[in-house]
Amino acid sequence: MAGKTMVEKILARGAGREEVSPGELINVKVDLALGNDITAPVAIKEFNRLGVKEVFDPDKIALVPDHFTPNRDLAAAEQAKVLREFSRYHRIKHYYEVGRMGVEHALLPEQGLIWPGQIVIGADSHSCTYGALGAFATGVGSTDLAAAMALGEAWFRVPSTLQFIYRGVLPPWVGGKDLILYTIGQIGVEGARYRAMELCGEAVEALSMDGRLTMTNMAIEAGGKCGYIQPDRVTEEYLDGRVEHPYQPVYSDPEALYEEVYAFDVSNLEPQVAFPHSPANSRPVGEASGIEIDQVVIGSCTNGRLEDLKVAAQILQGHEVHPRVRLIVIPATQLIYRQALEEGLLEIFVKAGAAVSTPTCGPCLGGHMGVLAAGEKALATTNRNFIGRMGHPESKVYLSGPAVAAASAVTGTITHPGEVV
Amino acid sequence: MTITGKVWILQDDVDTDLIIPARYLSSTKPEKLAAHCLEGICPRFPLEVAPGDLIVAGKNFGCGSSREHAPLAIKGAGISCVIARSFARIFYRNAINTGLPILECTAELSQLLTPGEELTVDLEQGLIEDRQGRRYQAMPFPPFMQQIINDGGLIEHVRKRLDLPAR
């Protein structure tokens, strides 16, 4: 029997098979299905059209109203209401109301709903985030979610796997976001299309869980079906006291077959900035130096976790946001918000002149809470800088990690954090 | 089924934010979404697209967000088929699941064809023919996916599996 990757093993278990191989089409049992206020209303409509009376398991569905909430307008309010009423009717266990809610991909791991070996589908492309915990997790559409809510199953083509090895010790101010932007820059927005991305090597092992979640979050920006990191001590420490469900970590065999192996030495990696209009346009921050910006957003499912806010606060401490810049800080979940409050981070942001918001996806997708006008430029710790992503089609978005974002908010131009601290 | 329509040419990496910007996602109605479909890169599209038209695109069509509003907007615009060199995976499954006809064809059709020219497509055979009679073969779907397509999308496919009457 040839060696298998972590994903091949998890999918084989989900399909009730001894083993599966890349290219095979399989039906798997889903351990958790996720929807939000944009995708779930479509899924609920399709679920009702299906004519099934009950969901497959109300404990294995998570519905999170995070995109246009707190309701930005009447239409958004109606959509959130669809979610709320469906959740009540079907007694969905993991429904999170505004004020307890968070950006879904920060919230679910934090709440202990994700563990190694799990199969998770989410009607949101960044569902691939959960691979940082050694789960198989992937984004699907609303109709897939509807079928999964009814049957507890989903169909997949078993992906082949690309292995990415990161060697070396990361320099100061360089983190998970820089690693993943650099990677997407190397392989392009379809470099991992349909494939699983196994992320490993000592630079990844040295990352905290927050940094790892940032990396797997953006696997989709390279076209990946999923991104994952095999469970280790950092994973165990993160899960300890958080996950009650028993789990069995799954690892790739040493002789597993990879479609391709990429090895990067990242000892001298500079903080990265992705230029408009593609996450693959990543360059060292030095090449972006001096670009004037109107808005900075620190938050999202990519970089709205506590560690991200700590890095930003460390840089903003004792500084003021540049007069030309609007800095918007959005802790990704209510718990992160509370921790940031208790640790004094929010005070640093507010004193610096930032707008601090309750958790929401908001500006990341040009929904609300920081939409750009024509001609405006933003630097954001979010995940996409496509044309019109944050507002007007003639606005521009640059992507970076929280350190560059915070430093740039102070100077008003894209800046290496070392120049501010 | 054979369809004939005029083509709209798009290039590589057309993302779902371009197909339907997020600010319009408060609606799930195909006709409402269609009014803004592709307006960011092709303002003429929502105004001039006619029922039966086809989209011909380059690589990685539909990359980005998982929003099913993207195939819904394209369907709402009356597009009869999207032909691309390759599709991003979530868009690909969304199209199959929702019954939007798509074909993957490795020929560089977005370079070879002229905007507005007429194209004839045999969906079952995956055969594409332009006005000069040049023919291109699209990749066949695996039988499993072809079954979902034949059933009219994932919901009807599941209804059949569960032995529920068709709707």
Side-chain angles (χ1 to χ4, degrees):
Chain A
M1 198 163 105
K4 294 289 176 189
T5 67
M6 188 194 97
V7 156
E8 289 157 7
K9 289 183 183 180
I10 294 175
L11 287 175
R13 196 262 306 157
R17 299 253 305 266
E18 194 68 25
E19 62 169 48
V20 296
S21 298
E24 277 187 81
L25 282 153
I26 54 169
N27 256 321
V28 298
K29 294 248 181 273
V30 167
D31 300 310
L32 186 68
L34 161 76
N36 58 49
D37 53 314
I38 302 289
T39 60
V42 181
I44 290 165
K45 200 161 124 189
E46 293 301 298
F47 178 88
N48 291 335
R49 192 162 74 88
L50 193 51
V52 175
K53 291 202 172 53
E54 288 173 355
V55 297
F56 83 107
D57 187 340
D59 295 350
K60 292 184 177 173
I61 295 170
L63 294 174
V64 186
D66 58 356
H67 276 60
F68 292 166
T69 52
N71 302 331
R72 67 162 188 183
D73 58 14
L74 194 52
E78 294 294 340
Q79 299 223 112
K81 190 174 158 198
V82 170
L83 236 67
R84 188 175 301 120
E85 289 182 345
F86 182 86
S87 298
R88 279 188 194 148
Y89 182 81
H90 289 282
R91 302 176 190 283
I92 302 298
K93 188 174 170 188
H94 307 296
Y95 168 78
Y96 298 89
E97 197 50 271
V98 167
R100 281 133 287 177
M101 172 274 284
V103 177
E104 50 198 342
H105 309 308
L107 183 70
L108 267 48
E110 170 199 286
Q111 294 293 315
L113 301 191
I114 310 293
W115 52 81
Q118 217 181 9
I119 295 175
V120 185
I121 63 161
D124 188 277
S125 60
H126 292 108
S127 301
C128 52
T129 309
Y130 314 130
L133 291 166
F136 168 78
T138 192
V140 296
S142 296
T143 300
D144 277 311
L145 174 61
M149 288 197 299
L151 303 174
E153 284 179 19
W155 63 271
F156 288 112
R157 178 151 58 186
V158 179
S160 57
T161 302
L162 309 176
Q163 189 184 42
F164 295 83
I165 306 167
Y166 301 86
R167 299 207 171 97
V169 178
L170 288 179
W173 307 117
V174 177
K177 183 63 162 287
D178 305 291
L179 287 178
I180 195 66
L181 285 179
Y182 175 76
T183 307
I184 300 164
Q186 292 295 306
I187 66 171
V189 289
E190 65 154 8
R193 201 168 55 90
Y194 287 102
R195 284 136 178 112
M197 298 172 77
E198 180 175 297
L199 311 175
C200 59
E202 65 257 29
V204 169
E205 285 160 21
L207 291 176
S208 68
M209 188 48 70
D210 283 3
R212 296 175 180 201
L213 289 160
T214 300
M215 286 194 79
T216 50
N217 172 270
M218 289 188 73
I220 180 68
E221 309 318 330
K225 181 171 225 149
C226 65
Y228 67 89
I229 297 167
Q230 300 185 67
D232 64 3
R233 204 172 45 79
V234 173
T235 321
E236 274 170 37
E237 281 169 11
Y238 183 85
L239 297 168
D240 191 26
R242 198 185 292 269
V243 171
E244 289 161 10
H245 195 279
Y247 61 87
Q248 188 68 48
V250 181
Y251 307 95
S252 297
D253 294 327
E255 67 279 19
L257 295 176
Y258 297 96
E259 186 184 322
E260 205 154 347
V261 177
Y262 296 86
F264 303 123
D265 185 338
V266 292
S267 306
N268 297 311
L269 190 71
E270 261 197 70
Q272 301 285 302
V273 173
F275 283 54
H277 294 284
S278 169
N281 287 340
S282 59
R283 300 181 206 167
V285 62
E287 291 183 29
S289 175
I291 295 172
E292 288 191 2
I293 43 174
D294 304 289
Q295 178 168 301
V296 172
V297 175
I298 298 175
S300 82
C301 60
T302 313
N303 278 124
R305 298 185 182 81
L306 191 64
E307 183 180 273
D308 302 314
L309 301 185
K310 279 183 181 170
V311 168
Q314 193 186 341
I315 290 165
L316 284 162
Q317 172 115 53
H319 289 285
E320 277 179 16
V321 173
H322 189 276
R324 188 172 19 79
V325 173
R326 315 179 294 261
L327 171 61
I328 299 164
V329 181
I330 312 178
T333 69
Q334 190 76 3
L335 179 63
I336 296 168
Y337 194 102
R338 211 181 71 202
Q339 288 168 330
L341 179 73
E342 286 164 4
E343 294 190 21
L345 309 181
L346 299 190
E347 192 178 349
I348 294 171
F349 298 140
V350 171
K351 280 186 174 163
V356 180
S357 159
T358 190
T360 181
C361 303
C364 171
L365 73 164
H368 63 153
M369 283 301 296
V371 175
L372 299 174
E376 288 191 326
K377 280 185 247 170
L379 176 63
T381 68
T382 57
N383 41 59
R384 292 193 175 127
N385 53 355
F386 300 148
I387 294 171
R389 173 73 179 179
M390 201 174 273
H392 197 280
E394 285 162 29
S395 61
K396 285 180 177 163
V397 178
Y398 295 77
L399 303 175
S400 77
V404 172
S408 306
V410 172
T411 61
T413 61
I414 298 180
T415 302
H416 191 293
E419 291 177 34
V420 174
V421 177
Chain B
M1 193 172 79
T2 303
I3 45 180
T4 300
K6 72 176 186 341
V7 299
W8 292 82
I9 307 262
L10 301 169
Q11 299 308 318
D12 294 346
D13 303 322
V14 173
D15 60 74
T16 52
D17 278 282
L18 283 176
I19 296 170
I20 182 73
R23 57 188 174 277
Y24 304 119
L25 300 185
S26 291
S27 175
T28 57
K29 294 197 172 71
E31 60 280 7
K32 273 195 162 178
L33 297 168
H36 302 287
C37 186
L38 291 164
E39 67 178 19
I41 40 162
C42 189
R44 289 192 302 119
F45 182 86
L47 306 172
E48 295 175 19
V49 65
D53 286 2
L54 298 99
I55 289 175
V56 167
K59 289 186 294 181
N60 203 26
F61 185 82
C63 61
S65 141
S66 70
R67 63 190 70 158
E68 213 158 274
H69 309 67
L72 285 180
I74 292 172
K75 265 172 93 171
I79 290 292
S80 59
C81 180
V82 182
I83 306 168
R85 278 187 73 193
S86 64
F87 290 92
R89 60 162 287 271
I90 306 179
F91 185 91
Y92 182 84
R93 61 187 297 140
N94 283 350
I96 289 169
N97 287 345
T98 59
L100 169 69
I102 55 168
L103 289 175
E104 210 166 27
C105 179
T106 50
E108 295 223 34
L109 293 178
S110 59
Q111 310 294 327
L112 294 165
L113 303 174
T114 0
E117 95 167 79
E118 221 166 62
L119 207 60
T120 300
V121 175
D122 181 329
L123 282 178
E124 278 80 28
Q125 303 297 318
L127 208 60
I128 303 159
E129 189 174 341
D130 66 13
R131 279 248 296 272
Q132 288 89 49
R134 288 181 296 192
R135 294 175 142 211
Y136 311 92
Q137 181 64 52
M139 302 222 284
F141 290 100
F144 177 84
M145 288 184 208
Q146 191 61 53
Q147 195 55 51
I148 298 177
I149 295 166
N150 294 349
D151 289 344
L154 185 65
I155 294 300
E156 292 308 330
H157 180 73
V158 172
R159 290 183 67 82
K160 231 169 119 176
R161 223 184 98 187
L162 298 177
D163 224 8
L164 296 167
R167 284 190 178 177

